[in-house]
Amino acid sequence: MTAPLLVVDDVHKRYRLPREHLLAAAPEVQALAGVSFTLEAGKSLGVVGESGSGKSTLARLVMALEAPSAGQVRLDGEDLHALPPAALRAARAKFQMVFQDPYGSLDPRRTVLQTVAEPLAVLHGSGRAEQRERAAEALDAVGLRPADLAKYPHEFSGGQRQRIAIARALITRPKLIVADEPVSALDVSVQAQVLNLMQDLQDRFGVTYLFISHDLAVVDLVCDHVIVLRRGVVVEEGDPDRLFTDPQHEYTRRLLAAVPGLPQNRSFITTPGARP
């Protein structure tokens, strides 16, 4: 049996808050409390929950942008938070991130070439010719043209900017992409295009997605397995067919009740070639 690509094992995260006065102990808030899951290579795992449930904290821990207070995050068998800095930097080529806001995540002063090639330049130290070639390949993979490399973000629509962000994530040929609300800032029609693209890239390149969203309809469309977070705790998990038609936890039922058409009509967003 093949080992999972990503293992999150009993992860906790606590944050210290400012002291109320000089002699008082600093209070703590528990953002994650014993979160565990595995993610197989080439699959998509959805993480859903309301604002404040711990979704974005989990994304930062998986991306090794913050360290857990306890527990492990293992990618390809390596505990990311136990790696020395040089080894972690080398490992970052295996995992990249797509952010929520296609407007805020791209520097308006940098060309598309500079933006897309940045991870390659930082992580691999490659030359300009290789950077341009790989950036052109990444743009082609997301449905844009090599001629777009010389342009700036303001020359593109929101959906095109998110394609640029996905190209930037793809350029290191990662095994895992953490997508944090990647379509929530887009119109519904553009959401469908970007989600179709992400599914196509998974089929073509075998990319694994950790898909973080508050939108259960989107997660239902693209994910093989779903975990439901509430106040930093996994309260329910399962495949979408079961979870969205026969939820066992009251919190999951409340989330579903807030989405028009789910679970009775699970084609809230439909895309050509979408998975059944």
Side-chain angles (χ1 to χ4, degrees), residues 9-14 29-36 53-54 57 61 70 229-235:
D9 185 13
D10 195 26
V11 163
H12 296 249
K13 182 62 180 178
R14 296 180 294 275
V29 61
Q30 184 92 354
L32 295 174
V35 173
S36 296
S53 61
T57 299
L61 299 189
L229 269 183
R230 180 174 185 264
R231 296 178 182 174
V233 176
V234 177
V235 296

Side-chain angles (χ1 to χ4, degrees), residues 198-225:
M198 294 180 73
Q199 290 180 308
D200 178 59
L201 294 172
Q202 185 172 54
D203 292 338
R204 290 168 61 189
F205 302 116
V207 179
T208 304
Y209 291 120
L210 181 64
F211 203 102
I212 293 170
S213 180
H214 70 281
D215 191 331
L216 276 72
V218 169
V219 169
D220 180 34
L221 177 67
V222 301
C223 293
D224 305 294
H225 197 79

Side-chain angles (χ1 to χ4, degrees), residues 126-181:
S126 54
R128 290 185 179 181
E130 181 184 357
Q131 290 176 26
R132 175 173 286 277
E133 180 181 356
R134 293 272 293 272
E137 291 173 355
L139 280 194
D140 180 68
V142 300
L144 296 175
R145 301 171 303 164
D148 292 326
L149 289 171
K151 296 180 180 178
Y152 289 85
H154 73 271
E155 300 179 65
F156 299 90
S157 67
Q160 289 173 323
R161 292 186 194 196
Q162 200 62 304
R163 288 173 182 263
I164 294 169
I166 294 170
R168 177 175 58 188
L170 281 175
I171 197 166
T172 63
R173 296 166 187 167
K175 296 184 177 182
L176 172 70
I177 290 180
V178 177
D180 189 1
E181 302 276 10

